[in-house]
């Protein structure tokens, strides 16, 4: 079974500041992948960043980076230099069946 | 290719009726996922296919839900004897494999009255 937990229903960040969104997961798979997706209001889900669990190096994609702690089954997303367009729901997803967490609503203050 | 396409975009049905939704994945993608999403919540996994094989269906919400993917191309999700609690957005996604990005459709919003 796979479970994904996002413990922060809402987060707020000042424009240009940094924010970290938390995610923990549980899976019985030995080799798996982790993802962060963004869902703007009334718009489609899009991929932000992905991490291969067998790689120790944390993935980075421009202003977005992850802190992957495999032993702790933790996969947090850091957004640097936050922009107004980053405001959205963020979902962590894991595993072969692409199981999603409950999401974190990110608000960006100008 | 215009991405993942879902039809219809909106469906209003009376309680007790059957509904069927269609998903056309990106053409070269062999994986296809179905999710249900309610307002403010994360997508809830329902089922997924690898080509025409349905690899997981135990998470379908009840025996009123069923999905098919004949010939490994488009997929349909059917809900029989709809209930008001079935009202939600139904999302479809496709990918090349489990390690690549899943592309989502715009969803079908179901309202059961």
């Amino acid at each position: 079974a796979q479970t994904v937990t996002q413990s922060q229903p809402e987060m707020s960040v000042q424009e240009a500041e940094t924010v970290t969104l938390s995610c923990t997961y549980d899976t019985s798979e030995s080799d798996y992948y982790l993802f962060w997706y963004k869902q703007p209001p009334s718009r489609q889900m899009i991929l932000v960043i992905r991490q291969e669990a067998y790689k120790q190096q944390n993935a980075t994609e421009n202003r977005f980076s992850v802190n992957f702690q495999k032993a702790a089954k933790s996969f947090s997303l850091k957004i640097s230099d936050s922009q107004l367009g980053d405001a959205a729901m963020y979902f962590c997803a894991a595993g072969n069946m692409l199981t999603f967490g409950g999401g974190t609503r990110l608000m960006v203050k100008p | 290719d215009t991405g993942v396409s879902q039809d219809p975009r909106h469906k209003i049905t009376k309680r007790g009726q059957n509904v069927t939704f269609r998903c056309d994945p990106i053409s070269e993608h062999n994986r296809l996922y179905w999710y249900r999403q309610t307002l403010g919540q994360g997508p809830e996994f329902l089922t997924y296919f690898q080509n025409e094989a349905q690899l997981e269906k135990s998470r379908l919400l009840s025996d009123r839900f069923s999905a098919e993917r004949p010939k490994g191309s488009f997929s349909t999700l059917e809900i029989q004897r709809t209930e008001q609690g079935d009202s939600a957005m139904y999302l479809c996604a496709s990918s090349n494999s489990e390690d690549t990005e899943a592309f989502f459709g715009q969803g079908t919003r179901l309202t059961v009255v």
Side-chain angles (χ1 to χ4, degrees):
Chain A
Q2 295 172 350
T3 59
V4 179
T5 302
Q6 294 179 248
S7 59
Q8 305 154 316
E10 281 190 0
M11 291 286 284
S12 180
V13 64
Q14 203 72 36
E15 193 176 7
E17 297 294 307
T18 296
V19 65
T20 299
L21 309 183
S22 301
C23 173
T24 57
Y25 64 93
D26 195 11
T27 180
S28 57
E29 296 170 9
S30 57
D31 192 15
Y32 52 92
Y33 301 85
L34 300 157
F35 305 85
W36 277 98
Y37 281 85
K38 171 184 177 181
Q39 189 177 41
S42 302
R43 294 181 62 185
Q44 285 166 269
M45 194 92 70
I46 55 174
L47 181 70
V48 175
I49 197 165
R50 63 188 280 271
Q51 172 81 40
E52 294 140 331
Y54 64 86
K55 285 189 177 179
Q56 292 191 343
Q57 186 175 5
N58 289 324
T60 299
E61 194 72 46
N62 300 318
R63 297 182 296 109
F64 300 88
S65 61
V66 300
N67 182 4
F68 174 48
Q69 302 290 327
K70 190 171 184 178
K73 296 186 175 177
S74 169
F75 181 59
S76 61
L77 174 70
K78 186 171 84 170
I79 306 174
S80 304
D81 185 25
S82 297
Q83 300 175 358
L84 295 177
D86 295 334
M89 286 290 291
Y90 286 82
F91 296 100
C92 176
N96 203 25
M97 296 193 299
L98 200 59
T99 302
F100 282 79
T104 296
R105 180 176 302 281
L106 179 66
M107 295 173 286
V108 181
K109 298 178 181 177
Chain B
D1 197 337
T2 55
V4 178
S5 177
Q6 291 189 244
D7 183 70
R9 293 287 309 281
H10 303 273
K11 177 71 176 179
I12 300 174
T13 191
K14 290 184 178 180
R15 189 173 53 185
Q17 297 294 304
N18 299 343
V19 294
T20 299
F21 308 142
R22 177 178 170 126
C23 173
D24 286 273
I26 292 172
S27 57
E28 64 269 22
H29 285 181
N30 52 40
R31 283 212 165 197
L32 187 148
Y33 306 84
W34 282 102
Y35 296 90
R36 183 177 77 165
Q37 187 177 27
T38 53
L39 194 63
Q41 303 298 312
E44 182 181 11
F45 175 88
L46 297 178
T47 189
Y48 82 116
F49 295 85
Q50 176 89 14
N51 300 311
E52 66 273 14
Q54 191 173 12
L55 299 185
E56 174 61 56
K57 55 183 178 181
S58 66
R59 308 267 283 268
L60 285 167
L61 300 167
S62 77
D63 59 6
R64 298 185 296 107
F65 287 71
S66 63
E68 291 184 343
R69 193 184 183 194
K71 303 178 183 177
S73 55
F74 72 92
S75 176
T76 57
L77 177 70
E78 181 182 16
I79 308 173
Q80 296 181 329
R81 304 181 302 280
T82 52
E83 301 173 356
Q84 285 190 321
D86 297 332
S87 296
M89 178 75 83
Y90 290 84
L91 297 173
C92 175
S94 71
S95 71
N96 271 326
S97 64
E98 72 274 12
D99 63 337
T100 58
E101 177 181 0
F103 290 83
F104 281 79
Q106 292 184 293
T108 295
R109 182 170 296 284
L110 173 66
T111 302
V112 182
V113 297

